[in-house]
Amino acid sequence: MSEAPHLTFDLEKPGMSNGHLVVPEGADCEALSLPVVSLNKGEGPRLLITAGCHGDELEGPIVARRLLEWLPEAQVCGRVVIAPMLNPPAVKACSRNTPIDGLNLNRVFPGRSDGSVTERIADAVARVLLPWTDTVFDLHSFGLNWDFSPSSTTHPIADPVLMAKTLQMAEAFKLPMTLVWEHPGSPGMFDTLAQNQGKVFVCAEFGGGTVSFDAIALYEAGLRNALIALGLVEGKPEYPTFRQQKVTQTFETRRSSDELKSPARGIFEPRCSVLDQVKHGDIIGALYPMDSLTADVIAIRALGTSIVYAIRSGAYVEMNEAVALVARPVNQ
Amino acid sequence: MSEAPHLTFDLEKPGMSNGHLVVPEGADCEALSLPVVSLNKGEGPRLLITAGCHGDELEGPIVARRLLEWLPEAQVCGRVVIAPMLNPPAVKACSRNTPIDGLNLNRVFPGRSDGSVTERIADAVARVLLPWTDTVFDLHSFGLNWDFSPSSTTHPIADPVLMAKTLQMAEAFKLPMTLVWEHPGSPGMFDTLAQNQGKVFVCAEFGGGTVSFDAIALYEAGLRNALIALGLVEGKPEYPTFRQQKVTQTFETRRSSDELKSPARGIFEPRCSVLDQVKHGDIIGALYPMDSLTADVIAIRALGTSIVYAIRSGAYVEMNEAVALVARPVNQ
């Protein structure tokens, strides 16, 4: 009989502990050891930081790893557990989904102990790491194919008290955008599971495109701001600079109606930048049909007043592929 | 018997002509039609602009396509032929090499009329488009996995007169960097074939990372500067802004010794930005071993005084994978 998922160290031990979350073997692969660090300074907030859920979003693992260079000394109270690489097979393959079973880890929570490897990872995280914490920061990004505004995001939550607490936590990152993201309700997401247990869950969407030195500095500053807001670290929050500006705003978006799609197959050219404001009829991108140089360029236009928070990199796209995402300021 | 590669229109016809370069069918795929436009305003320089050689470098096809919005009116003399998509199967697959035969188009020149599809494309370009021109601009970039300084590049050329003419043409782009790139001499490159026929050949390496609105504007400005220098277009050249600076410099690099490689497998974190100057011992990046959070971070250091012109996006890398490229100013 297979062992149960477990940590290789005692989470209650004071100070810094370093080890692994063991995901038991199954028919499809051997046991996995996900690196985990616990920083236990006693009473105070309990925070779980996870990253590397999707293997092509490396900002999170890098920033989580950078935290270890200063947080053990800077932390003044409370407890932080950091798991910077939830899905090692996907990270090694640089793929969103786990290559072994083709599953998206963020669609299979709470997982299954007798399932395939991705389901076993979710089961281990849900049973061993999640019950222990009050707050989760799950560090994502948008991969190499999109230009995306660095954001802290949440989905709408039915419980108004938890919604208010979550939004306040998300805004504490002071990233250029805080986003309330109404989506069609994909089953199996990590945030839904945590919220159903009354926990504050913020998903950081750390931009897109190249994972550069500048980008990493920006994301680390956002995470530090959130740690200060929780009282885990002392200091003054800073508004990181993005596109020569130091601002943060709260927006809402609907996945269904705020997604602009390519009207045909061809080469997409972005004609605006993230955080640009657009109004009805403004051109946000152009589509070049592939076969003829005199075929009309197809303009892709905004449907209403909004800001562009994500735009596809110039690339060959299929018809109906998403090329831009827009949002509107939350009514204050 | 298969037809010969040919244009669907007469290259000698005055004014604007639009059609295709037909690459004959072979055993592996049907005939391809590569879109081509000819802008013939009589006497003057003869320029061939090619793009889309590698299917994951879409800056070139987009900028070549944008040219058609203003160049037909702006051109004052001479002849320009634009072929913005040399390798349609690779562009559709978003892959560097042609998916049908796995070959790199820029390693099979002059191609073979009885070869596989990539060799037939090279043969068509070499026999139909190249003989006609004096100058070639081949628009490349560095794909999504690198941050790269927008550059016009050439390799060292044995003939000093052609070398001087080529370097002067490359510098006329006024992109942030002009690069003389000494490489191990890969056979089958398009530039070698053109240079052996006495032609000026400039390869624009239009950056890397996300193909954004800002990036495209920068590249289009560089191409316009080069058209002005050739006398095809009237106007004043501009130094495009890159990282809040308007500068251009000429550098040289050796592919063998100026490539910094990862000392182990792990997650690479860039710790500098392109065009940063570094000296011996400076850290340009860090490598995090994957398995343990307390394993030492491995610093990757510069070997001498140089500028970083390309750095890998944060990502999982194998041992000995290139993570940074450096160069030194050309002695003036």
Side-chain angles (χ1 to χ4, degrees):
Chain A
M1 186 185 151
S2 175
E3 59 185 347
H6 61 276
L7 282 168
T8 58
F9 60 90
D10 180 4
L11 216 46
E12 299 305 317
K13 193 178 158 199
M16 179 164 165
S17 305
N18 174 54
H20 293 94
L21 172 62
V22 177
V23 178
E25 67 175 336
D28 55 355
C29 85
E30 60 191 10
L32 297 177
S33 291
L34 318 187
V36 177
V37 159
S38 161
L39 304 171
N40 183 350
K41 294 214 174 168
E43 290 299 305
R46 290 170 172 231
L47 172 66
L48 171 64
I49 299 176
T50 51
C53 171
H54 295 134
D56 57 348
E57 301 173 3
L58 274 284
E59 289 89 342
I62 290 172
V63 171
R65 187 68 205 248
R66 285 181 67 91
L67 270 190
L68 291 173
E69 293 177 30
W70 56 268
L71 185 57
E73 191 164 337
Q75 186 184 348
V76 293
C77 69
R79 296 170 59 174
V80 183
V81 168
I82 304 175
M85 193 165 50
L86 291 187
N87 195 343
V91 169
K92 283 179 187 167
C94 195
S95 68
R96 180 174 175 83
N97 292 1
T98 317
I100 298 163
D101 58 12
L103 294 179
N104 178 341
L105 176 55
N106 204 22
R107 296 293 182 277
V108 300
F109 278 92
R112 285 170 52 188
S113 62
D114 61 348
S116 66
V117 62
T118 311
E119 295 169 311
R120 295 199 304 279
I121 294 173
D123 175 67
V125 172
R127 286 206 283 158
V128 180
L129 297 182
L130 187 61
W132 160 90
T133 194
D134 308 320
T135 303
V136 182
F137 297 162
D138 191 27
L139 311 184
H140 283 254
S141 59
F142 241 62
L144 289 171
N145 297 315
W146 286 82
D147 206 358
F148 190 89
S149 171
S151 311
S152 49
T153 76
T154 176
H155 298 124
I157 304 166
D159 173 357
V161 176
L162 187 60
M163 180 78 235
K165 278 172 67 178
T166 301
L167 189 57
Q168 190 179 17
M169 188 72 254
E171 287 173 336
F173 280 72
K174 302 191 186 304
L175 286 169
M177 186 165 68
T178 304
L179 190 65
V180 181
W181 197 327
E182 188 185 90
H183 69 124
S186 310
M189 292 183 74
F190 190 18
D191 65 343
T192 312
L193 177 69
Q195 287 156 358
N196 288 345
Q197 296 176 14
K199 296 171 196 298
V200 170
F201 187 107
V202 175
C203 175
E205 288 284 358
F206 277 169
T210 312
V211 185
S212 66
F213 176 70
D214 295 343
I216 290 165
L218 178 78
Y219 309 150
E220 190 175 13
L223 196 53
R224 180 175 170 273
N225 288 339
L227 292 169
I228 292 169
L230 273 174
L232 289 163
V233 166
E234 291 180 339
K236 205 164 156 271
E238 284 174 21
Y239 288 84
T241 302
F242 179 68
R243 296 187 172 271
Q244 289 92 61
Q245 293 201 311
K246 286 176 182 284
V247 289
T248 177
Q249 269 192 281
T250 303
F251 293 93
E252 60 188 355
T253 185
R254 292 186 192 86
R255 190 66 190 248
S256 49
S257 57
D258 287 337
E259 196 172 85
L260 296 176
K261 294 184 175 176
S262 176
R265 66 169 55 176
I267 294 178
F268 174 71
E269 177 197 334
R271 290 214 176 161
C272 64
S273 302
V274 293
L275 296 188
D276 279 359
Q277 184 163 0
V278 292
K279 57 183 198 305
H280 179 81
D282 284 352
I283 295 178
I284 61 99
L287 191 83
Y288 298 109
M290 297 270 286
D291 300 327
S292 166
L293 292 173
T294 48
D296 282 342
V297 179
I298 304 171
I300 302 171
R301 293 174 189 275
L303 300 172
T305 300
S306 48
I307 68 111
V308 177
Y309 69 90
I311 191 152
R312 187 80 161 76
S313 179
Y316 177 74
V317 295
E318 294 290 339
M319 190 167 88
N320 279 330
E321 204 171 317
V323 291
L325 305 172
V326 302
R328 290 159 308 285
V330 165
N331 294 327
Q332 310 262 349
Chain B
M1 187 184 150
S2 175
E3 60 185 347
H6 62 276
L7 281 168
T8 58
F9 60 90
D10 180 4
L11 216 47
E12 299 306 317
K13 193 177 157 200
M16 179 165 165
S17 305
N18 175 53
H20 293 94
L21 171 62
V22 177
V23 178
E25 68 175 336
D28 55 354
C29 85
E30 61 191 9
L32 297 177
S33 291
L34 317 187
V36 176
V37 158
S38 161
L39 303 171
N40 182 350
K41 294 211 173 167
E43 289 300 305
R46 289 170 173 231
L47 171 66
L48 170 64
I49 299 176
T50 51
C53 171
H54 296 136
D56 57 348
E57 302 172 4
L58 274 285
E59 289 89 344
I62 291 172
V63 171
R65 187 68 204 250
R66 283 181 68 91
L67 271 190
L68 292 173
E69 293 177 30
W70 57 268
L71 184 57
E73 190 163 337
Q75 186 185 349
V76 293
C77 69
R79 295 170 60 173
V80 183
V81 168
I82 304 175
M85 193 164 51
L86 290 187
N87 195 342
V91 169
K92 283 179 186 166
C94 194
S95 68
R96 181 173 174 83
N97 292 1
T98 317
I100 297 163
D101 57 12
L103 294 178
N104 179 341
L105 176 55
N106 204 22
R107 296 294 182 278
V108 299
F109 279 92
R112 285 171 52 189
S113 63
D114 61 349
S116 66
V117 61
T118 310
E119 295 169 310
R120 296 199 303 278
I121 293 173
D123 175 68
V125 172
R127 285 206 283 158
V128 180
L129 296 183
L130 187 61
W132 159 91
T133 193
D134 308 320
T135 303
V136 182
F137 296 162
D138 191 26
L139 312 183
H140 283 255
S141 59
F142 241 62
L144 290 170
N145 297 315
W146 286 81
D147 206 359
F148 190 89
S149 171
S151 313
S152 49
T153 77
T154 177
H155 298 125
I157 304 165
D159 173 359
V161 176
L162 187 59
M163 180 77 235
K165 277 172 70 178
T166 301
L167 190 57
Q168 188 178 19
M169 189 72 253
E171 288 174 335
F173 279 74
K174 300 187 186 305
L175 286 169
M177 186 165 68
T178 304
L179 190 64
V180 181
W181 196 328
E182 188 187 90
H183 69 124
S186 310
M189 292 184 74
F190 190 18
D191 64 343
T192 312
L193 177 68
Q195 286 156 359
N196 288 345
Q197 297 176 13
K199 297 173 195 297
V200 170
F201 187 106
V202 175
C203 175
E205 287 284 357
F206 276 169
T210 312
V211 185
S212 66
F213 175 71
D214 296 343
I216 291 165
L218 178 77
Y219 309 150
E220 190 175 15
L223 196 52
R224 180 174 169 274
N225 288 339
L227 293 169
I228 291 169
L230 273 173
L232 289 164
V233 166
E234 291 180 339
K236 204 164 155 273
E238 285 174 21
Y239 287 84
T241 302
F242 179 67
R243 297 188 172 270
Q244 289 92 63
Q245 292 200 311
K246 285 178 182 284
V247 288
T248 178
Q249 269 192 282
T250 303
F251 293 92
E252 60 188 354
T253 185
R254 293 187 193 86
R255 189 64 190 249
S256 48
S257 57
D258 287 338
E259 196 172 87
L260 296 176
K261 294 184 175 177
S262 177
R265 66 170 55 177
I267 294 178
F268 174 72
E269 178 197 333
R271 290 213 176 162
C272 64
S273 302
V274 293
L275 296 188
D276 280 358
Q277 184 164 358
V278 292
K279 57 183 196 308
H280 179 80
D282 284 353
I283 295 178
I284 62 98
L287 191 82
Y288 298 109
M290 296 270 287
D291 300 326
S292 166
L293 292 174
T294 48
D296 282 343
V297 178
I298 304 171
I300 302 170
R301 295 175 188 275
L303 300 174
T305 300
S306 48
I307 70 111
V308 177
Y309 69 91
I311 191 153
R312 187 79 161 75
S313 179
Y316 176 74
V317 295
E318 294 291 339
M319 190 168 89
N320 279 330
E321 203 171 319
V323 292
L325 306 172
V326 302
R328 290 159 309 284
V330 165
N331 294 328
Q332 308 264 348

